[in-house]
Each structure stands twice: as structure tokens, then as C-alpha cells.
Amino acid sequence: MKALAAKKKSGNTVSAVWALAEKAASGTGVTIWDVRFVKEGADWFLRVFLDKPEGISMDDCVMVSRELNTLLDEEDLIEQSYCLEVCSPGINRELTRPEHFERFTGSPVRVKLIRPLPDGRRELNGELLSLADGEIRLQVDEEEVLTIAQKDSVSVRLLDDDFEEE
């Protein structure tokens, strides 16, 4: 119980839930894409995003959700009430972790920026070239390669392969 108390005090709910989610998903063929614990209005949501090469089914979500719910009840990691959502990150998934960027290098993405570039653009569509040292390299068109600090982006999402420049 001391380790549990330390986890609660550290405030690192996402890391603790990630470990439980991996345990819940073990042997199912799915991996954990992301875990988010967010407050929306007056409510808290614990969202666990699953992934696997052939896509996530409803059965995958139900199976992991049941097991994870049991583990969360046993560990009692989260003090406030919350809604557990176990789902797929979707086709236009958000890239947040270094391994996401590595896996989807060469893929079309949309980068939304916190502040506009000098030319006024706040959204960029292009091919993801890399993420290194906190900087995203993006091929916007044949002549333009941009380097953007990851901290200056609101989100980086995959696009369908047939994206159009805006």
C-alpha cells in the first residue's frame, strides 16, 4: 500500500494507468497508443486508446475495458469519480509520443500551431519528415520544408493519404 500512496502523491495518474492498461491488454494482441486523464466541464474522463495493425474492434475495446476496470477498482488509483473510455485513436490519430512520429515518418499530417507563422498560417498539411530534438520537420510542398518546435504545435494528426494543401 505504500507504493500506491506514493503513486497518488506523485500525481502521475497517466503513468500508473498506462501500466495497468498494458497489463489489461497483455495477450490480446493490442497495444496502448495513449492514455489521457482530462477534465471536461465538471467531469473527468480517463481515455485509453488502443492500437493494433489490423485495426481495433469493438470486442477489443470491451475486452480491455473490462479487465482494466477491474484493475482500476483493485488499485484505487484515482480519488475523484471519472468515466472510463477505451477506444481506437482513429484514422486521423494524434501523434504525441516519439514512437508515434517514428512510426508515421513519411505520412501526411496536419500540424496546428499555437501562434501563426509570419505569413499567417496556423495549420500546415504536409509529409512528416522527422521529429528530432523537439523539432518537427515537415515537407509542405516541393520547395518548402519547415522546421517547427513541437512545443509550438497544438496538435499533429495523421491525414488520409489523399490530403490536399489548404
Side-chain angles (χ1 to χ4, degrees):
M1 282 312 259
K2 287 182 183 180
L4 178 60
K7 284 182 187 176
K8 282 185 177 180
K9 287 181 183 174
S10 75
N12 204 345
T13 301
V14 169
S15 293
V17 171
W18 193 296
L20 290 178
E22 284 182 329
K23 185 175 178 181
S26 69
T28 65
V30 304
T31 58
I32 307 306
W33 175 265
D34 205 356
V35 174
R36 298 183 185 171
F37 188 52
V38 296
K39 187 171 185 179
E40 294 178 4
D43 300 319
W44 282 92
F45 292 88
L46 177 58
R47 294 191 176 108
V48 177
F49 298 90
L50 307 178
D51 194 26
K52 70 179 180 183
E54 61 274 16
I56 294 297
S57 70
M58 185 65 76
D59 289 340
D60 294 325
C61 294
V62 169
M63 184 172 32
V64 172
S65 178
R66 285 183 180 154
E67 181 63 24
L68 180 56
N69 196 42
T70 299
L71 293 171
L72 286 166
D73 285 347
E74 288 171 2
E75 294 293 324
D76 195 25
L77 294 172
I78 303 171
E79 294 177 14
Q80 65 266 44
S81 63
Y82 61 91
C83 177
L84 173 63
E85 296 177 355
V86 177
C87 54
S88 163
I91 293 172
N92 296 69
R93 63 190 58 202
E94 187 172 3
L95 308 181
T96 57
R97 304 173 64 80
E99 57 268 24
H100 297 165
F101 285 87
E102 185 178 319
R103 177 175 166 192
F104 289 102
T105 295
S107 297
V109 295
R110 173 171 290 143
V111 179
K112 291 187 179 182
L113 303 171
I114 294 171
R115 288 177 270 319
L117 296 175
D119 64 9
R121 291 181 291 177
R122 288 188 84 124
E123 289 187 10
L124 303 165
N125 289 352
E127 178 185 335
L128 176 63
L129 298 177
S130 66
L131 170 69
D133 300 322
E135 294 188 332
I136 301 165
R137 289 192 61 240
L138 188 68
Q139 178 86 44
V140 179
D141 59 35
E142 290 181 20
E143 296 97 35
E144 187 177 24
V145 174
L146 293 174
T147 301
I148 301 155
Q150 188 177 14
K151 66 179 178 58
D152 292 337
S153 70
V154 173
S155 67
V156 179
R157 291 191 176 276
L158 284 182
L159 290 176
D160 294 332
D161 287 333
D162 57 344
F163 73 93
E164 293 292 324
E165 295 289 330
E166 288 184 355

